[in-house]
Structures are given as C-alpha cells and as structure tokens.
Amino acid sequence: MLLQLRILAGALMGALLFIGIALYLVLSATSDAGELPPLWVVGAQIAAGASMHYLLEATGYRVPAVPVGTPREEAEPQALAAFQSAMIRRFAFSEAIAIASVVVAFVIHQGQFLAYVSGAFVSLALMIVHVFPWVRPIARTAASLDRDGGRSYLLEALGLPGPDEGPIQRL
C-alpha cells in the first residue's frame, strides 16, 4: 500500500513539471525565458509557502479519530482511507501556490516563466514535507487517528514500525 501511495504522490507532484512545460511553450513566444521575475513575486511566493506550511501543520493532519475498541479489520481500512484523503487535501493546498504562480506569469511582463518555476519549487517543497508518504506525515496522521485512545494500525498497514515496535514502547 505504501508503494501505491508513493506512486500517487509522485504522479501528483509530477503535474507541476507538465504544467511548467506547457507554460514554457505558451510563454516562450512572448517573452525571454531567462529573465528574472520581480523580487516581490518571489518574496510573495515564499511568504505564501511559509503561511501554507503553518496552515498545513495546524489543520492538514486532522482526521476522524478511531473509536476505542475498534477491531483491526475495521480500523486499518478506515485509517488508510483517512490518510489518503488527508494526503490529497494537503496536496491541493500545497499546489495552490503553483497555480497562483501560473496566473502571476500571465499578469507580469518580466520573468514570466521563472515566476512559475519559483512558485512551483515552493509548492514542491511543501509537497515533499506534507504530501509524499514518508515517516513524518504518516506518523502525524497516525497520532491524529489514535488521539482518543483507539488504535488505527496505520503504521503497521504501511510497513512502518508501530508504536509498540520501536525503541520507545508503551508501558
């Protein structure tokens, strides 16, 4: 399942490249692709990325808690569905900066293509931290699922050591 989620995340993240190629083909006829965008554009993208990071930290990992006593056969599929749903939601928020950069690329007159590229890099950084399924986002989601005392078995379902299997164990 982890491989499937990574393929999904990679495909979603790869969309930034295809948007960039299409944008390059459209904008190359009207502008010099090597011009730098105005500094305020890059600053706004970085500020938007920082704001989006804090928004995703605060709300991006909220998922319904698994009730206490839920058997593993029910909890595991619910946890996987909740993780995938939250992952897609975090992707949409992360991609918003790249999409806004497409709009900016058509509005400004200097450095249009590189304005998109800088926004796409900010979005990609957010996606690496919050969307791609590695230990951090999986563990954050598992903690949210298990917050009321229930057990989601998300870590085990994705092949990661569970809370009782690592160097720190519950007593």
Side-chain angles (χ1 to χ4, degrees), residues 16-38 41 45 98 101-102 104-121:
L16 296 175
L17 176 66
F18 292 110
I19 293 170
I21 291 170
L23 199 58
Y24 178 79
L25 294 173
V26 169
L27 294 175
S28 65
T30 61
S31 70
D32 182 17
E35 287 184 56
L36 294 176
V41 170
Q45 291 167 334
S101 297
V102 170
V104 169
F106 284 103
V107 172
I108 63 174
H109 300 290
Q110 170 189 343
Q112 296 169 312
F113 177 67
L114 289 181
Y116 169 74
V117 170
S118 60
F121 275 123

Side-chain angles (χ1 to χ4, degrees), residues 44-114:
Q45 291 167 334
I46 292 170
S51 299
M52 191 62 69
H53 170 72
Y54 290 115
L55 176 71
L56 289 171
E57 284 290 315
T59 63
Y61 296 93
R62 291 185 184 171
V63 289
V66 174
V68 176
T70 304
R72 183 176 184 154
E73 299 78 34
E74 292 177 26
E76 195 172 292
Q78 290 173 1
L80 288 169
F83 177 77
Q84 186 173 358
S85 174
M87 183 179 91
I88 299 297
R89 186 175 57 248
R90 290 189 305 268
F91 166 76
F93 281 107
S94 298
E95 187 185 36
I97 296 167
I99 299 302
S101 297
V102 170
V103 173
V104 169
F106 284 103
V107 172
I108 63 174
H109 300 290
Q110 170 189 343
Q112 296 169 312
F113 177 67
L114 289 181

